[in-house]
């Protein structure tokens, strides 16, 4: 008799079948397994894989950008949401269960221990996939990636030969070198590749800031020429190279349909800095930022929310002013996953500012409305340029599975749309045309920006050394997939030499721990 709830047959609901992104649905889902305790996870995995074979998927927050968990082949889901404890183990340190969501993690670590994680901002993203994919957010320039703090993982692995699931703790202190290799791989490439992660451990964590200051700038598209746009992008790259590690910025290059582009700037208080000193420093820093950009094009009042993930409500403060908050208030302000919608995403890392040909392509596509949709339907489409570098780049490229350790910018191309179609239901001709228009727009946009590099941000094809691949936690099937026969191209862009070229590489780790490929999806690691 199992100690974990299992639903099957008619008990499986439409909500069980639907991902956060409305494009993804599992019509043939037969069973949902919900482990309540870590001790139940291995029996749960054994029951699920023993019954449904490799057609089992693992979910925590359901936010995957592609259909890796919710698709027509999925027969069972292990839902980790009930494994949601956060605490302090006297021997292993702070721990976060895989079923926790970002907002719960931040609030519990702060209220219980005065600590924080340099992780993502979207409140309902699950720790299970987010952390093992790298973990990046508004404090990463100050403290590095989440995986840079990770010191241990509880994971259930599967022995297909004996049909046995085993819960094991892996870390750099593991006596078995294969477990040490697995721990290395889980710091950036664990997403659906090696087993079912139960819990993350951190021997120590950074102290949470006491204070944070937020500010915004906005510019009207109607006043933006190609020349001023190019100058603004160059100034932003220069800003990121110069700004202190305690600061973070998001440049929201919204489609012209939104009317404006904007920038969010956050200054967090370094350790030991009091409120008055922080406020003076943050206000002075933002005044310099505003002067730098006003010299290019004067900022204007923000008239609508800045789109994308994370978002920021326009009513909180006018463009050009600063708002001094507690750290928790700042986290909550920028803690926006947004509504469930249809969406498509792409990513890129950059080691330098935008070359002229990229600027022209970005400007052109942000001013392009694809055939078949109204202008208003593009109001949520954008290229978001995140500040990167700082403490992230203090780590060697092969120290974790995440190799991008010399970039200064991290890009996320985003487009969203919505309609009245029911979950999992067929799209009408108009709804199907709407989806094709958005997907075609973002694919062509991306391909033109990176046309000199083969249509993708491939550093091998970039003699100027500007681009540096893509982020595994922002998966994009257009880069390559098992179905298309070009998955190696995608995985090389995500992991560069850590994929298969280095002596310690992800293909070898996958081959050792999952040789029968039970844990797989359209961009999972190969065993050969």
């Amino acid at each position: 008799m199992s100690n974990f709830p299992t639903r099957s047959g008619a008990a499986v609901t439409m909500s069980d079948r639907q991902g956060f992104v409305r494009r993804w649905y599992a019509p043939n889902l037969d069973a949902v397994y919900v482990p309540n305790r870590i001790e139940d996870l291995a029996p749960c995995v054994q029951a699920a894989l023993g019954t449904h074979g490799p057609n089992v998927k693992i979910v925590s927050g359901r936010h995957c950008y592609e259909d890796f968990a919710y698709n027509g082949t999925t027969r069972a889901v292990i839902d980790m949401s009930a494994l949601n404890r956060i605490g302090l183990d006297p021997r292993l340190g702070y721990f976060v269960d895989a079923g926790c969501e970002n907002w719960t993690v931040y609030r519990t670590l702060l209220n219980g221990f005065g600590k924080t994680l340099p992780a993502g901002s979207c409140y309902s993203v699950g720790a299970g996939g987010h952390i093992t994919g790298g973990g990046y957010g508004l404090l990463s320039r100050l403290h590095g990636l989440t995986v840079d703090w990770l010191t241990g993982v509880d994971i259930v692995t599967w022995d297909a030969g004996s049909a046995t699931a085993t819960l094991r703790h892996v870390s750099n202190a593991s006596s078995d070198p294969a477990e040490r290799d697995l721990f290395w791989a889980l710091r950036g490439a664990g997403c659906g590749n090696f087993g079912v992660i139960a819990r993350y451990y951190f021997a120590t964590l950074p102290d949470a800031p006491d204070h944070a200051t937020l500010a915004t700038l906005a510019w009207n598209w109607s006043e933006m020429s190609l020349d001023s746009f190019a100058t603004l992008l160059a100034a932003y790259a220069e800003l990121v190279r110069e700004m202190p590690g305690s600061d973070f910025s998001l440049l929201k290059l919204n489609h012209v349909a939104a009317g404006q582009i904007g920038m969010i700037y956050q200054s967090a208080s370094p350790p030991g800095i009091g409120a008055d000193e922080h406020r003076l420093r943050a206000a002075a820093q933002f005044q310099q930022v505003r002067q730098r950009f006003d010299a290019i094009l004067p900022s204007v009042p923000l008239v609508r929310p800045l789109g994308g993930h994370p978002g920021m409500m326009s009513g909180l403060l006018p463009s050009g002013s600063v708002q001094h908050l507690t750290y928790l208030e700042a986290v909550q302000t920028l803690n926006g996953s947004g509504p469930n919608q249809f969406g498509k995403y792409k990513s890129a890392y950059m080691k330098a500012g935008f070359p002229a040909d990229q600027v022209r392509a970005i400007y052109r596509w942000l001013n392009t409305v694809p055939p078949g949709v109204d202008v208003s339907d593009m109001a949520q489409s954008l290229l978001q340029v995140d500040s990167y570098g700082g403490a992230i780049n203090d780590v060697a490229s092969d120290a974790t599975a995440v190799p991008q350790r010399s970039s200064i910018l991290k890009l996320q191309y985003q487009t969203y749309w919505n309609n009245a179609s029911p979950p999992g239901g067929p799209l009408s001709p108009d709804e199907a045309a709407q989806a094709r228009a958005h997907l075609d727009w973002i694919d062509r946009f991306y391909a033109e920006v990176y046309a000199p590099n083969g249509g993708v941000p491939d550093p091998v094809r970039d003699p100027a050394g500007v681009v540096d691949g893509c982020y595994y936690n922002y998966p994009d099937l257009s880069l390559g997939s098992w179905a298309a026969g070009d998955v190696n191209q995608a995985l090389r862009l995500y992991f560069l030499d850590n994929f298969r070229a280095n002596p310690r590489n992800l293909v070898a780790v996958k081959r050792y721990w999952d040789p029968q490929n039970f844990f797989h999806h359209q961009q999972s690691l190969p065993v050969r």
Side-chain angles (χ1 to χ4, degrees):
M1 189 73 176
S2 67
N3 294 317
F4 47 85
T6 303
R7 297 197 309 281
S8 60
V12 176
T13 68
M14 291 184 70
S15 295
D16 293 320
R17 304 178 190 275
Q18 179 73 61
F20 180 85
V21 178
R22 292 193 64 217
R23 294 175 67 197
W24 313 133
Y25 193 79
N28 300 313
L29 186 68
D30 292 331
V32 178
Y33 298 79
V34 187
N36 289 314
R37 305 177 305 156
I38 285 185
E39 296 79 7
D40 293 334
L41 184 56
C44 176
V45 172
Q46 190 143 336
L49 294 183
T51 303
H52 301 281
N55 297 317
V56 177
K57 305 301 178 186
I58 302 94
V59 300
S60 52
R62 304 186 181 195
H63 277 262
C64 186
Y65 284 172
E66 294 287 4
D67 67 343
F68 296 168
Y70 295 95
N71 60 63
T73 69
T74 302
R75 303 306 295 267
V77 163
I78 299 175
D79 186 331
M80 301 293 289
S81 59
L83 287 180
N84 55 17
R85 291 185 59 207
I86 300 164
L88 179 60
D89 183 287
R91 184 172 62 90
L92 298 173
Y94 302 96
F95 64 83
V96 173
D97 283 356
C100 295
E101 296 175 333
N102 276 340
W103 175 237
T104 304
V105 173
Y106 289 135
R107 191 173 61 177
T108 305
L109 286 176
L110 174 64
N111 294 342
F113 307 101
K115 300 293 184 180
T116 194
L117 270 181
S121 57
C122 296
Y123 74 93
S124 58
V125 166
H130 176 64
I131 293 177
T132 193
Y136 156 80
L138 277 69
L139 291 181
S140 288
R141 298 189 70 257
L142 181 61
H143 294 304
L145 301 178
T146 312
V147 292
D148 298 338
W149 293 82
L150 190 63
T151 52
V153 176
D154 287 343
I155 182 172
V156 173
T157 57
W158 175 252
D159 185 331
S162 62
T164 303
T166 303
L167 176 66
R168 63 183 76 240
H169 180 80
V170 299
S171 72
N172 277 333
S174 296
S175 58
D176 183 348
E179 289 191 348
R180 295 196 295 271
D181 287 344
L182 176 58
F183 177 64
W184 170 82
L186 293 174
R187 286 178 291 165
C191 309
N193 280 306
F194 305 105
V196 184
I197 294 171
R199 176 172 287 178
Y200 298 101
Y201 294 89
F202 308 87
T204 185
L205 284 173
D207 293 335
D210 287 326
H211 315 283
T213 294
L214 296 177
T216 61
L217 290 174
W219 301 273
N220 288 333
W221 262 117
S222 60
E223 301 168 11
M224 184 79 63
S225 67
L226 174 58
D227 286 345
S228 58
F229 185 77
T231 307
L232 188 147
L233 263 60
Y236 186 74
E238 182 181 0
L239 169 69
V240 173
R241 278 193 293 263
E242 296 174 354
M243 69 188 190
S246 54
D247 291 5
F248 184 93
S249 180
L250 300 165
L251 181 62
K252 304 272 192 172
L253 300 177
N254 298 312
H255 191 276
V256 69
Q260 295 182 316
I261 65 175
M263 182 172 70
I264 299 172
Y265 197 93
Q266 174 182 285
S267 289
S269 60
I273 300 298
D276 291 343
E277 183 179 355
H278 163 73
R279 289 170 184 169
L280 288 171
R281 186 194 73 85
Q285 175 72 4
F286 183 68
Q287 182 61 25
Q288 294 178 8
V289 171
R290 184 176 184 180
Q291 289 174 352
R292 175 183 300 209
F293 286 92
D294 276 353
I296 302 168
L297 186 67
S299 56
V300 297
L302 186 64
V303 298
R304 59 179 294 162
L306 291 173
H309 294 330
M312 183 172 180
M313 297 304 295
S314 61
L316 292 172
L317 69 160
S319 173
S321 66
V322 298
Q323 186 176 38
H324 301 293
L325 303 166
T326 68
Y327 164 68
L328 188 63
E329 288 177 312
V331 170
Q332 191 167 19
T333 297
L334 293 177
N335 207 354
S337 295
N340 296 78
Q341 300 184 88
F342 298 89
K344 175 63 180 177
Y345 314 82
K346 294 174 176 290
S347 70
Y349 290 94
M350 296 185 66
K351 296 181 178 181
F354 296 89
D357 56 348
Q358 289 192 8
V359 173
R360 289 191 294 269
I362 293 167
Y363 183 86
R364 185 167 89 83
W365 282 98
L366 291 178
N367 281 272
T368 296
V369 179
V373 298
D374 294 332
V375 174
S376 61
D377 205 42
M378 298 297 294
Q380 295 187 84
S381 302
L382 73 155
L383 169 55
Q384 180 173 296
V385 185
D386 297 7
S387 58
Y388 203 69
I392 300 169
N393 292 351
D394 294 338
V395 176
S397 61
D398 59 355
T400 70
V402 181
Q404 289 88 3
R405 300 293 186 163
S406 357
S407 292
I408 62 167
L409 302 173
K410 185 175 189 174
L411 278 55
Q412 186 173 184
Y413 297 74
Q414 306 172 47
T415 189
Y416 303 93
W417 66 99
N418 222 336
N419 54 54
S421 60
L427 299 178
S428 70
D430 286 346
E431 291 164 349
Q434 177 192 37
R436 286 194 301 271
H438 279 271
L439 296 174
D440 182 67
W441 174 83
I442 198 170
D443 281 342
R444 294 176 64 194
F445 179 6
Y446 192 79
E448 184 171 323
V449 171
Y450 305 110
N453 317 124
V456 294
D458 186 352
V460 173
R461 301 185 184 186
D462 180 21
V466 174
V467 300
D468 203 26
C470 306
Y471 183 35
Y472 200 38
N473 262 356
Y474 299 162
D476 172 19
L477 285 178
S478 300
L479 298 175
S481 67
W482 282 104
D486 54 0
V487 71
N488 285 339
Q489 173 178 289
L491 293 168
R492 185 176 58 79
L493 289 169
Y494 294 133
F495 301 115
L496 307 182
D497 287 347
N498 287 338
F499 173 41
R500 64 166 77 240
N502 288 336
R504 176 187 255 179
N505 66 78
L506 294 169
V507 175
V509 179
K510 171 71 171 180
R511 182 165 59 245
Y512 183 92
W513 286 102
D514 186 27
Q516 301 302 317
N517 202 26
F518 268 71
F519 298 103
H520 67 92
H521 50 73
Q522 279 297 321
Q523 284 186 342
S524 59
L525 295 166
V527 298
R528 290 284 184 271

